[in-house]
Amino acid sequence: MIDKLRSIAVFAAVVDQGSFRAAALTLGLAPSRVSEVVSQLEKDLGVTLLYRSTRQLSLTNEGRRLKVAADDMLGAVETGLDAISPLSGEPSGALKVTVPAFVTQTELMDDFARFASTYPKVELDFHFSDRPSDVIRDGFDVAIRAGWLDDSDLMVRTIGHVDRFLVASPQYYDAMPTPTDPSDLEDWQWIRFVMRTDQTEMTSKDGQVVKVLGKSSVSVNSASALYEFSVRGLGLTAIPEHLACRGFDRGELIHVLPEWTMSPLGLHAIWPNQSRRENLTTLFVRFLAGKAQNS
C-alpha cells in the first residue's frame, strides 16, 4: 500500500507539472524513473491514466478520477502535518499561482517579492497570463483576478484595486470632435478587452453617471495590447493606471475626459474551498490582503 500511495503522489506531480521531466525536477528523480512509476501504477490498476504525446499529456476519465482522489489524499496529509507542526514555525511547501499579465508592472509584484523574502522556504510557481485559467482544472492553488468575478464556488478575498484611465493617441484625439462628456464618444472607435463588458460607465465629479458603448472593430485579450494599439492610433480604450501613465510620460497618449472617472478594477484572490494547501494558501492571501489594507 505504501508503494502505491507513493506512486499516486508521483502521478499527481506529473499532472500538476504538465510533464514527466518537470515532475522529475520537482521530485528530484530521473524522468525515466517517474515514467516507470506511472506506467507501473497503470499496470497495477489495469487502466490507462494518461494519454501521452510528444507535445503534451492529457488525462483519461480514469486519470481524472484518480487525480481528484490524489488531491484529497495529499491534502489530508498536509493538513495532518500542519496539525502537528503548525505555521507558528517556518512555513514551507509549494504554491502555484496564476496572475494577470499586466500585474507584472504594478505594486503587487512588490508584495509577491516581500512574501517570497519573508517565507523563503515556500516555493512560489507564478503563471502570468491575461487569459483566465480554470483554478481547479489547471491545478492552481490561488488565482489573482482583476475586475468582476463569476467563480461562485470558490473562496474570494479582495486584495486591492487598479485605477483605469480612458486614453487615446494625440493623433486620434485631434482627428475627432473634442468631447465634453462621455456621450460624445459614441462615434469613436473603441479598442475592446474581450474579458470586459462592451459598455463603459463613467462618473462626473458631481456624481452624474453616463454609460457609453461606442463602435469597435478591434478586440484583444491583453492589457498590453490595448496600450500598443491605442498608441498606434486605432482608437479609444480604458487601460490600467500604470500603463496610462507610461503613455502620458512618453507623450504617446492623452487622458480623455480627465474630469470623468471609471470604476477601478478590483484585485481579488480566489482559491478552492477545500485547498490541498489550505494553510499556505490562507497565509499567502492574508499577506496580500494585509498589504492592501496598509497601503
Side-chain angles (χ1 to χ4, degrees), residues 11 14-15 20 38 42 47-53 57-60 62-63:
F11 161 74
V14 171
V15 177
F20 289 102
V38 174
E42 291 177 317
V47 298
T48 299
L49 300 172
L50 293 168
Y51 293 124
R52 301 156 173 83
S53 72
L57 300 174
S58 58
L59 286 167
T60 64
E62 292 81 3

Side-chain angles (χ1 to χ4, degrees), residues 145-149 158-162 264-268:
R145 293 276 173 80
W148 302 269
L149 302 177
T158 300
I159 60 172
H161 71 273
V162 175
L265 291 176
L267 289 176
H268 314 280

Side-chain angles (χ1 to χ4, degrees), residues 57-99:
L57 300 174
S58 58
L59 286 167
T60 64
N61 288 333
E62 292 81 3
R64 279 190 287 272
R65 288 198 290 269
L66 182 60
K67 182 58 168 61
V68 171
D71 287 345
D72 290 342
M73 177 190 78
L74 294 170
V77 171
E78 291 194 18
T79 299
L81 292 175
D82 288 340
I84 62 175
S85 180
L87 287 179
S88 56
E90 187 170 9
S92 62
L95 279 177
K96 187 177 179 182
V97 187
T98 176
V99 188

Side-chain angles (χ1 to χ4, degrees), residues 26-235:
T26 299
L27 298 171
L29 299 172
S32 59
R33 177 56 183 158
V34 173
S35 179
E36 179 184 339
V37 168
V38 174
S39 295
Q40 185 61 48
L41 178 62
E42 291 177 317
K43 183 177 179 181
D44 292 343
L45 296 176
V47 298
T48 299
L49 300 172
L50 293 168
Y51 293 124
R52 301 156 173 83
S53 72
T54 56
R55 293 187 176 182
Q56 65 179 7
L57 300 174
S58 58
L59 286 167
T60 64
N61 288 333
E62 292 81 3
R64 279 190 287 272
R65 288 198 290 269
L66 182 60
K67 182 58 168 61
V68 171
D71 287 345
D72 290 342
M73 177 190 78
L74 294 170
V77 171
E78 291 194 18
T79 299
L81 292 175
D82 288 340
I84 62 175
S85 180
L87 287 179
S88 56
E90 187 170 9
S92 62
L95 279 177
K96 187 177 179 182
V97 187
T98 176
V99 188
F102 78 85
V103 166
T104 58
Q105 299 171 56
T106 71
E107 293 180 356
L108 195 55
M109 294 297 291
D110 295 330
D111 296 335
F112 293 158
R114 280 191 286 267
F115 182 89
S117 298
T118 304
Y119 304 105
K121 290 189 177 181
V122 177
E123 300 174 16
L124 294 167
D125 181 9
F126 286 104
H127 293 244
F128 292 93
S129 173
D130 282 325
R131 182 180 296 276
S133 300
D134 186 302
V135 178
I136 296 176
R137 184 193 65 205
D138 297 334
F140 288 104
D141 299 301
V142 187
I144 306 301
R145 293 276 173 80
W148 302 269
L149 302 177
D150 55 8
D151 298 284
S152 58
D153 294 333
L154 300 177
M155 304 295 288
V156 179
R157 184 159 183 179
T158 300
I159 60 172
H161 71 273
V162 175
D163 288 328
R164 296 183 299 157
F165 292 160
L166 196 62
V167 301
S169 70
Q171 296 80 6
Y172 186 84
Y173 184 87
D174 290 342
M176 302 298 293
T178 302
T180 58
D181 67 66
S183 61
D184 294 330
L185 303 174
E186 287 288 357
D187 291 330
W188 292 42
Q189 282 290 333
W190 289 68
I191 308 167
R192 305 289 189 200
F193 190 67
V194 294
M195 273 80 83
R196 303 276 177 261
T197 177
D198 288 346
Q199 194 172 65
T200 300
E201 182 176 288
M202 303 189 71
T203 305
S204 68
K205 292 180 179 179
D206 60 6
Q208 179 186 2
V209 176
V210 176
K211 296 181 180 180
V212 57
L213 182 61
K215 300 183 296 185
S216 178
S217 58
V218 176
S219 298
V220 301
N221 65 347
S222 160
S224 295
L226 290 175
Y227 175 90
E228 295 297 338
F229 279 139
S230 59
V231 165
R232 288 163 173 77
L234 292 189

